[in-house]
Amino acid sequence: MNSETKIIDEKLQGTPFMVDSKNSTNKKLFLESYGCQMNFADSEIVASILMDKGYSTTDKFEDADVIFLNTCAIRENAELRVRNRLNDFKKAKKNNPKLLVGVLGCMAERLKSQFLEQEKLVDIVVGPDAYRDLPGLIEEAEDGHKAINVILSKEETYADLTPVRLGSNGVNAYISIMRGCDNMCSFCVVPFTRGRERSRDPESIVAEAKDLFEKGYREVTLLGQNVDSYLYTGGGLKKETLTEEQKASAVSFAQLLERVALIDPLLRVRYSTSHPKDMTDDVLEMVAKYHNICNYIHLPVQSGSSRILEMMNRGYTREWYLERMAAINRIIPGCGISTDIITGFCSETEEDHQQTISLMKSIQFDYAYMFSYSERPKTLAERKYPDDVTAEVKSRRLAEIVELQRTNSGIKTALGLGKVHEVLVEGFSKKSDDMLMGRNPQNTVVVFPKGNYKKGDYVNVMVTKCTTSTLIGEAV
Ligand code: SAH
Ligand code: SF4
Ligand code: F3S
């Protein structure tokens, strides 16, 4: 997963987007997204549904007829941020009593009608599987009713809808390949907010990627909570009950990767998130086989202690994870690796924490997203285990792993010195319009003088300098 665009609530949040409407009514939508890439991809579906109804978007909520927040519930902080943001809209609502405020996404799904009771300001509550119902729900709210649809679906994949690319640089795009999650990690709210896992028709995925390529995009990221578990069986058949024959005709994640890679060698393919318990060698071999499938894997470990992993219900041990890492290094030498780590999970001892530290030291991740455990209502952990690591201990342990990761990132980035990297240009560098920025396949940011190159070009860059996270060089 792409280190700057994997949008967990602590990173980027609250990004409003603007696009012009296809057919004009003068209704304006202000749409702000929180949470992970999947939520951002969902906002592109929401925009598509509403623009079909004549809405255009605005980046000033004061000008909007409808405000939607697409929310995240992964940690308590994520929810607090949304509640604070709702306060900002109070004055706008006073000035314009017709203004509608809606909450979409995971927090809407988690709180359901409670939201309407707790937050008087909110008129509309819509869960992740009910976006097709948005136009009708807006009409209901316009008639003065509180409108809600939080029904989760076993089939909905929005496969037939063409997302409206919001805030896009015209080079990278997300494609949602599956929805929901069946894993039930004990700390995680996602199975409750996104429902059962289902895979999207591969034909529609390939068609979407082709269309993007034809429009000039050069990189797609295939999204799912656990992409290794992707399996398209056609008639909505359950994975567990497939006959051998049905299994043979189903499309696996490795096969899907190949189909997307074959669209064009100039289309880079990324994917996220991989799950250590399901990541098989056939996926790794497919990555190795095609130059345009990036040598980069986001493989969340969560903890280095097998005892904690067991309590987390992750389905693997420390040894299993290390074996998967060895397989990556064997099949895709030089592969970029990032991870997610939760610190201070229920009953985590100093020794468990040291096991996470030692795992980080031995693997040396290129990048890591690190979080303090946040207890979530209804999860297995909330029901079964006391949240007994104190806030002080959580933050001290978090600081230790963040510090170690900073050192590791620096070491890993410096390994790129003196080498030529294939960079896909995404735009100007943050610091200067004389410099371009892009990424190498391992997902490290590379900056170089622009010369005659432009967005969407592939450029070979000889790296001569670096910071802890950025490579700097010149085109060769
Ligand atoms: N499907 C992905 C993760 C999605 S959530 C996977 O299985 O890896 C992204 C990350 O948020 C998780 O990997 C985890 O590290 C973190 N996370 C999830 N629930 C959390 C909680 N209750 N407290 C703290 N971090 C959490
Ligand atoms: Fe949550 Fe686990 Fe599913 Fe990831 S795999 S979304 S952590 S339940
Ligand atoms: Fe958050 Fe929902 Fe994504 S809880 S991390 S927006 S799946």
Side-chain angles (χ1 to χ4, degrees):
M1 189 165 287
N2 175 326
S3 57
E4 301 226 323
T5 52
K6 175 176 176 182
I7 301 148
I8 291 297
D9 51 277
E10 266 87 321
K11 307 246 144 238
L12 251 179
Q13 9 92 12
T15 318
F17 295 113
M18 279 218 308
V19 215
D20 287 330
S21 147
K22 292 184 205 156
N23 45 30
S24 56
T25 75
N26 35 23
K27 291 241 184 82
K28 286 211 163 68
L29 165 71
F30 176 84
L31 173 58
E32 204 167 74
S33 305
Y34 295 76
C36 62
Q37 289 170 329
M38 265 155 281
N39 237 24
F40 279 66
D42 278 5
S43 287
E44 301 189 328
I45 293 289
V46 169
S48 157
I49 291 170
L50 291 178
M51 286 177 66
D52 255 1
K53 294 286 168 193
Y55 280 80
S56 56
T57 55
T58 170
D59 63 352
K60 290 196 193 75
F61 69 78
E62 293 88 351
D63 297 344
D65 299 284
V66 181
I67 293 176
F68 278 141
L69 294 188
N70 194 0
T71 61
C72 173
I74 201 83
R75 283 168 290 274
E76 199 179 4
N77 270 346
E79 296 202 355
L80 287 176
R81 207 162 278 137
V82 169
R83 292 202 190 267
N84 286 338
R85 186 60 170 145
L86 284 172
N87 273 330
D88 297 343
F89 304 141
K90 277 196 178 133
K91 206 168 142 210
K93 186 115 171 160
K94 226 177 243 161
N95 294 342
N96 170 14
K98 281 194 174 160
L99 171 68
L100 296 177
V101 176
V103 178
L104 316 179
C106 290
M107 195 178 168
E109 189 62 50
R110 191 179 84 71
L111 290 165
K112 304 189 170 63
S113 58
Q114 260 184 60
F115 226 125
L116 295 172
E117 289 145 28
Q118 291 168 357
E119 301 276 348
K120 298 288 171 250
L121 181 80
V122 173
D123 308 286
I124 305 173
V125 173
V126 192
D129 286 346
Y131 296 145
R132 287 181 202 268
D133 209 13
L134 278 172
L137 291 164
I138 293 177
E139 273 177 32
E140 252 180 69
E142 283 169 346
D143 291 343
H145 309 291
K146 297 273 179 187
I148 177 163
N149 186 346
V150 286
I151 297 172
L152 287 172
S153 157
K154 288 199 176 113
E155 287 92 35
E156 181 62 272
T157 59
Y158 301 111
D160 56 312
L161 297 178
T162 309
V164 170
R165 303 294 161 183
L166 299 167
S168 164
N169 61 5
V171 179
N172 325 85
Y174 298 133
I175 302 182
S176 179
I177 63 163
M178 58 206 295
R179 299 182 72 80
C181 184
D182 282 353
N183 279 325
M184 289 299 199
C185 300
S186 63
F187 52 80
C188 185
V189 77
V190 171
F192 303 92
T193 63
R194 298 230 153 211
R196 298 307 300 266
E197 179 191 289
R198 67 221 94 125
S199 297
R200 176 180 166 189
D201 184 344
E203 301 295 330
S204 75
I205 297 168
V206 172
E208 189 174 325
K210 243 187 206 150
D211 180 57
L212 285 164
F213 183 75
E214 278 155 17
K215 289 182 172 138
Y217 286 80
R218 289 295 172 262
E219 184 177 288
V220 292
T221 304
L222 309 180
L223 294 181
Q225 293 294 355
N226 174 358
V227 291
D228 300 295
S229 171
Y230 176 93
L231 194 72
Y232 186 74
T233 56
L237 299 165
K238 282 218 181 74
K239 216 189 268 180
E240 310 77 53
T241 58
L242 289 183
T243 63
E244 283 309 309
E245 202 180 321
Q246 284 165 334
K247 238 180 233 163
S249 63
V251 179
S252 69
F253 180 57
Q255 290 164 330
L256 177 71
L257 268 182
E258 179 159 47
R259 288 199 198 180
V260 179
L262 285 171
I263 291 172
D264 196 291
L266 288 178
L267 181 67
R268 266 190 184 177
V269 186
R270 296 187 188 274
Y271 50 92
S272 189
T273 302
S274 304
H275 197 301
K277 88 176 156 62
D278 296 317
M279 192 191 64
T280 50
D281 287 358
D282 66 334
V283 169
L284 302 179
E285 277 150 15
M286 203 57 87
V287 176
K289 182 170 168 189
Y290 291 95
H291 178 74
N292 58 331
I293 307 180
C294 290
N295 288 358
Y296 168 64
I297 301 180
H298 181 65
L299 194 67
V301 63
Q302 313 299 1
S303 168
S305 153
S306 291
R307 186 183 74 84
I308 294 290
L309 288 169
E310 164 94 43
M311 284 173 70
M312 286 177 163
N313 199 26
R314 286 289 288 180
Y316 56 87
T317 58
R318 174 191 175 95
E319 291 68 35
W320 175 275
Y321 189 91
L322 290 171
E323 189 284 320
R324 289 289 77 206
M325 280 303 309
I328 293 172
N329 290 332
R330 185 176 69 240
I331 302 170
I332 319 168
C335 187
I337 295 281
S338 60
T339 199
D340 293 346
I341 297 172
I342 297 178
T343 193
F345 186 67
C346 314
S347 86
E348 186 188 73
T349 61
E350 214 45 45
E351 196 190 320
D352 295 315
H353 171 59
Q354 287 309 323
Q355 297 223 342
T356 299
I357 298 262
S358 77
L359 180 117
M360 291 173 75
K361 282 186 177 157
S362 79
I363 293 182
Q364 294 197 320
F365 296 105
D366 295 271
Y367 196 86
Y369 299 88
M370 295 156 281
F371 311 101
S372 279
Y373 172 60
S374 164
E375 185 177 79
R376 307 311 291 132
K378 283 200 192 155
T379 55
L380 199 75
E382 189 248 1
R383 287 180 282 131
K384 233 170 121 179
Y385 310 123
D387 179 12
D388 54 2
V389 178
T390 63
E392 292 72 46
V393 171
K394 280 181 187 171
S395 59
R396 193 251 306 150
R397 289 182 188 162
L398 184 63
E400 285 174 17
I401 62 172
V402 166
E403 186 50 39
L404 172 56
Q405 183 53 44
R406 187 170 300 137
T407 308
N408 282 348
S409 289
I411 294 171
K412 293 304 285 286
T413 307
L415 290 179
L417 284 170
K419 294 183 185 137
V420 174
H421 299 251
E422 184 197 78
V423 178
L424 170 60
V425 180
E426 295 178 19
F428 291 111
S429 96
K430 267 183 237 152
K431 290 195 185 133
S432 155
D433 279 359
D434 295 329
M435 304 286 278
L436 292 173
M437 77 69 70
R439 282 163 212 276
N440 65 11
Q442 290 77 8
N443 212 34
T444 306
V445 171
V446 183
V447 171
F448 63 97
K450 81 175 171 211
N452 292 321
Y453 299 106
K454 57 180 190 317
K455 230 163 54 168
D457 285 349
Y458 285 95
V459 183
N460 287 323
V461 176
M462 176 60 167
V463 166
T464 50
K465 283 189 288 189
C466 71
T467 68
T468 46
S469 59
T470 306
L471 297 169
I472 305 157
E474 281 190 36
V476 289

